[in-house]
Each structure stands twice: as structure tokens, then as C-alpha cells.
């Protein structure tokens, strides 16, 4: 079995990454609007009024992600990208922990133990973000601050 390999120019690769950063900005903007209004809209009946306590932290996380992806549009060198990923992962850990503390969910209307699943997912998100931070720290340690773009 043979595979066909296509050479893609660095400019085309960069354009693809920039497109991805733009999509990430749009998705985060949509999520920001949803987070700000979801209690008012009543879309998620399992959310309690305590969700309002988590909104500022979730907003912080989304805004930092938007800003990071906007920076990557202009400079996505390994040094800049790894630094941005470490910061966003650190904030993600903090926000997940805050949501876990507030736990603004009421699943009493359901037969299944969704509360346990959500707690496990939040803990796994923190672990995953921690692993991501370590991975990016290794990349950052081997990066040259002003090395040419990938």
C-alpha cells in the first residue's frame, strides 16, 4: 500500500492555521454570548441561579482564549503559541475549579446521576489542562523566542 505525499508551502500551512484561529475566535464569541444569556433564555433547565457566580470566570476564560487566538493570527511562533497555551490552560484549570466549587447544576429531575458525570468531566478537564501546560512548557523550553514561523 502506498501513500501519496503532497508538499504544501509554508504560506499555505500558515493560512490554514490562521483560518483555524479565526474559527476559534468566532466560536468563542458565540459561546460568550450564550454564557452571558443562557439563564435568561432558560435553555438549560438544569442550570441553577448559582451559575451567575461562575459567569465572570467563564467569561474571563473565553475572552483570554479570544485574545490568544487573535495574537496567533499575527504571530504563531512556537514561543508565542506555547506561552499563550500555558496561560489559557492555567485559566481553564482555575475556571473549572470555580465551576466545581459553585456547582451550578441541579440534575434532580433526571434518573441518571449526571452530577457525578459532570464532576468527573470537570476534574478530567483540569487534569487535561495541566497535562497541556506541561507539554507546552516543554515546547517553550526548547523554543527560541524569535525563531522563524513554522
Amino acid at each position: 500500500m502506498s501513500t501519496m505525499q503532497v508538499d504544501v508551502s509554508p504560506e499555505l500551512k500558515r493560512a490554514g492555521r490562521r483560518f483555524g484561529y479565526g474559527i476559534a475566535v468566532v466560536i468563542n464569541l458565540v459561546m460568550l454570548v450564550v454564557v452571558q444569556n443562557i439563564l435568561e433564555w432558560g435553555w438549560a433547565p438544569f442550570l441553577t441561579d448559582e451559575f451567575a457566580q461562575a459567569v465572570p470566570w467563564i467569561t474571563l476564560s473565553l475572552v483570554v482564549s479570544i485574545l490568544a487566538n487573535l495574537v496567533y493570527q499575527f504571530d504563531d511562533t512556537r514561543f508565542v503559541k506555547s506561552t499563550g497555551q500555558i496561560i489559557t490552560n492555567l485559566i481553564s484549570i482555575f475556571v473549572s475549579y470555580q465551576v466545581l466549587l459553585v456547582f451550578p447544576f441541579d440534575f434532580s429531575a433526571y434518573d441518571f446521576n449526571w452530577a457525578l458525570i459532570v464532576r468527573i468531566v470537570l476534574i478530567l478537564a483540569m487534569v487535561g489542562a495541566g497535562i497541556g501546560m506541561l507539554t507546552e512548557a516543554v515546547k517553550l523550553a526548547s523554543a527560541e523566542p524569535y525563531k522563524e514561523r513554522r
Side-chain angles (χ1 to χ4, degrees), residues 44-105:
F46 55 84
L47 286 179
T48 66
D49 290 338
E50 284 78 23
F51 183 75
Q53 295 175 30
V55 168
W57 302 118
I58 297 169
T59 299
L60 170 69
S61 180
L62 292 169
V63 168
V64 168
S65 181
I66 290 167
L67 292 174
N69 280 286
L70 288 173
V71 168
Y72 303 155
Q73 286 281 341
F74 301 99
D75 185 355
D76 69 347
T77 55
R78 183 176 306 255
F79 180 81
V80 171
K81 184 100 186 272
S82 290
T83 302
Q85 292 302 105
I86 290 170
I87 292 167
T88 57
N89 283 335
L90 184 61
I91 290 171
S92 294
I93 292 169
F94 176 77
V95 171
S96 296
Y97 180 71
Q98 292 301 314
V99 171
L100 192 59
L101 285 180
V102 173
F103 205 73
F105 309 102

